[in-house]
Amino acid sequence: MNNRQKILKMVELAIFIAVILVMKITGLSSIPVGPLMMTLTMVPIAIGAMLLGPVAGAVLGFVFGLTSFYDAVTGASAMTGFFFQTSPVNAFILCVVVRTLVGFLTGLLFMVFKKIDKKRIWCYFAGGLMAPMFNTILFMSYIVLVFYKTEFVQNLVASKGASNAFMFVVLLVGVQGLIEWATGLVIGGSVAKGVAAALKRDKN
């Protein structure tokens, strides 16, 4: 990669970071649904990870994670705010480290998809699905692993009538998770595929 390509990639990454921050400032990044937030920021993270690679995906996930951690610190999110009061370190891992991993894994797995899908028929849609899917699975897995026994989560378990941790995740995420996944699949996949074609990045 020559200097011009490096500069171009940095500019593109900066644009995606700006999109994430603008979404956060304008309130478009997430929509409150009960104790959770329906996260729409996975769409630009997925697109950036597919177009720029796993490292860029990790950076975008990290930026989003910082905004999520800010909500935890300030109490803007009831759930992560409680987790921060319980364990600031684990709240940071949940909000920031997990989201960084989501962006990285999305970009990494997309590279595998591209090698399999030589004609680029489905790989972008699969990549668009991966970001919200990884976000849901890893985020909720960490909550169950670290915070499941806390009073806040146990109250949610009781209110949902969940008989075990798996049912708790299913009942809590519910339709919201499916909407996030569908949004990533359709919008993330379509936009990434269109941009890649316009920039002629489907040659390898």
Side-chain angles (χ1 to χ4, degrees):
M1 184 183 295
N2 57 40
N3 288 336
R4 183 177 180 278
Q5 290 174 320
K6 289 180 180 178
I7 293 173
L8 179 60
K9 189 171 182 178
M10 289 177 62
V11 170
E12 292 172 344
L13 179 59
I15 291 173
F16 279 106
I17 290 174
V19 169
I20 291 173
L21 295 178
V22 168
M23 289 180 69
K24 174 61 180 175
I25 293 170
T26 58
L28 296 175
S29 62
S30 55
I31 301 172
V33 180
L36 292 177
M37 292 282 189
M38 186 166 69
T39 306
L40 303 180
T41 315
M42 286 299 119
V43 173
I45 291 175
I47 297 171
M50 287 188 280
L51 296 178
L52 302 176
V55 174
V59 172
L60 296 174
F62 177 77
V63 172
F64 169 59
L66 289 179
T67 67
S68 179
F69 187 64
Y70 173 82
D71 286 344
V73 174
T74 60
S77 168
M79 176 179 278
T80 57
F82 175 84
F83 294 157
F84 177 77
Q85 295 297 323
T86 303
S87 172
V89 173
N90 280 312
F92 180 84
I93 294 173
L94 177 68
C95 294
V96 180
V97 178
V98 165
R99 267 53 183 274
T100 302
L101 187 59
V102 166
F104 179 78
L105 290 176
T106 299
L108 190 65
L109 197 55
F110 176 71
M111 293 173 65
V112 176
F113 291 158
K114 281 183 69 176
K115 291 181 179 179
I116 299 173
D117 183 23
K118 301 295 185 181
K119 295 184 179 180
R120 307 293 190 263
I121 297 173
W122 55 267
C123 63
Y124 286 100
F125 298 101
L129 174 63
M130 286 302 100
M133 183 178 291
F134 279 137
N135 184 58
T136 299
I137 293 173
L138 295 179
F139 188 84
M140 293 306 301
S141 294
Y142 198 80
I143 287 176
V144 169
L145 180 66
V146 178
F147 296 108
Y148 189 70
K149 296 298 183 180
T150 62
E151 181 181 357
F152 185 91
V153 174
Q154 285 303 304
N155 286 338
L156 289 175
V157 171
S159 68
K160 295 294 181 181
S163 56
N164 53 56
F166 177 75
M167 286 306 301
F168 161 67
V169 172
V170 172
L171 293 173
L172 185 65
V173 173
V175 176
Q176 167 200 326
L178 295 178
I179 293 174
E180 287 183 9
W181 294 11
T183 301
L185 173 71
V186 176
I187 299 179
S190 300
V191 172
K193 185 174 183 178
V195 173
L199 298 177
K200 299 180 179 180
R201 293 186 180 176
D202 271 338
K203 294 182 180 179
N204 47 44

